[in-house]
Amino acid sequence: SQKIEQNSEALNIQEGKTATLTCNYTNYSPAYLQWYRQDPGRGPVFLLLIRENEKEKRKERLKVTFDTTLKQSLFHITASQPADSATYLCALASDPSGGSYIPTFGRGTSLIVHP
Amino acid sequence: NAGVMQNPRHLVRRRGQEARLRCSPMKGHSHVYWYRQLPEEGLKFMVYLQKENIIDESGMPKERFSAEFPKEGPSILRIQQVVRGDSAAYFCASSPPGLAGETQYFGPGTRLLVL
């Protein structure tokens, strides 16, 4: 069966360091992969999308890699700040349905950045 | 441009009552998605709608749950005869035509508690 795995343990790092979060998947041929941020009591906020034919994408302090051979995406936040503390969700979408891709979400990994 | 709006933000119902959750997509967005999130679990897709049409309802329970997105007005997720297991956060997301599904904008969610 299709599965998306994100580390369930919280990632604790010191301010200024690079945070790296992992998303592994099985039995998927994703057209693209997305990363979202979710704060407690709020809806997810879209951060980055990377397509199957892309290896890496950057946006400000964020970097995403996508290895379809390893079936893995890495999400990096450089120069992390306490304000980056949140839960980060990985989502994959494959076959379109009625013209729209329906993403499947992982459970998310909590990031805690200590000052 | 106002974001996705959901109301109510919190809803308490007794077993057997009906719950109506409303979602107003972002201006210009014609695609609406509903998700359910249980504590410590990922977002689970329920239904995808376009104006006056249900495109994909593969994630929605066959009984007691229904959704609509009328020509005028918000999208409604309706849960009849609620049970305790329906307690969850329900998120609505919208996306613009042409980028259907790729970038979803989420609302703040409705937290349903069934007593």
Side-chain angles (χ1 to χ4, degrees):
Chain A
S1 62
Q2 294 177 327
K3 196 183 284 187
I4 300 171
E5 292 183 345
Q6 293 186 258
N7 197 339
S8 58
E9 286 185 21
L11 177 63
N12 286 272
I13 63 168
Q14 284 299 123
E15 182 176 10
K17 300 290 186 186
T18 296
T20 299
L21 304 174
T22 305
C23 176
N24 294 299
Y25 60 92
T26 54
N27 297 324
Y28 256 106
S29 295
Y32 61 80
L33 184 146
Q34 301 169 312
W35 284 89
Y36 287 79
R37 168 184 173 141
Q38 187 173 23
D39 291 280
R42 298 189 172 222
V45 175
F46 170 79
L47 296 174
L48 280 168
L49 179 151
I50 187 165
R51 300 185 189 282
E52 59 178 333
N53 59 348
E54 297 175 315
K55 297 288 185 189
E56 181 180 300
K57 188 163 273 190
R58 293 173 185 260
K59 179 182 175 184
E60 298 172 352
R61 293 185 297 113
L62 309 180
K63 184 177 89 170
V64 172
T65 62
F66 194 12
D67 189 328
T68 54
T69 302
L70 289 178
K71 297 187 184 300
Q72 181 181 78
S73 173
L74 299 178
F75 176 78
H76 306 273
I77 306 175
T78 58
S80 60
Q81 305 164 1
D84 295 327
S85 300
T87 296
Y88 290 85
L89 309 176
C90 160
L92 280 77
S94 49
D95 297 325
S97 169
S100 178
Y101 291 83
I102 307 295
T104 301
F105 285 82
R107 292 188 180 187
T109 297
S110 176
L111 172 66
I112 302 169
V113 181
H114 300 275
Chain B
N1 189 6
V4 177
M5 298 175 67
Q6 290 188 249
N7 66 81
R9 295 290 307 275
H10 299 273
L11 182 61
V12 180
R13 286 287 178 266
R14 296 194 180 278
R15 280 178 296 170
Q17 291 184 318
E18 178 180 287
R20 278 186 180 234
L21 288 62
R22 294 174 192 79
C23 168
S24 296
M26 286 180 71
K27 188 176 180 181
H29 286 195
S30 54
H31 303 260
V32 166
Y33 312 79
W34 285 94
Y35 295 84
R36 176 163 63 178
Q37 188 174 42
L38 291 164
E40 307 305 322
E41 291 197 15
L43 284 162
K44 301 293 184 189
F45 166 74
M46 298 181 73
V47 61
Y48 158 46
L49 310 103
Q50 295 179 16
K51 284 284 187 182
E52 300 185 278
N53 285 305
I54 295 175
I55 307 301
D56 185 338
E57 56 182 345
S58 59
M60 198 156 69
K62 295 281 186 284
E63 298 180 357
R64 303 189 298 108
F65 286 73
S66 63
E68 62 177 14
F69 188 16
K71 189 177 179 181
E72 302 290 339
S75 175
I76 307 284
L77 179 68
R78 183 181 176 207
I79 312 172
Q80 295 178 291
Q81 299 173 335
V82 295
V83 300
R84 288 215 172 114
D86 296 333
S87 296
Y90 292 83
F91 291 96
C92 163
S94 72
S95 64
L99 288 173
E102 286 199 358
T103 303
Q104 298 194 0
Y105 297 84
F106 282 82
T110 293
R111 276 130 192 99
L112 172 66
L113 176 62
V114 180
L115 301 176

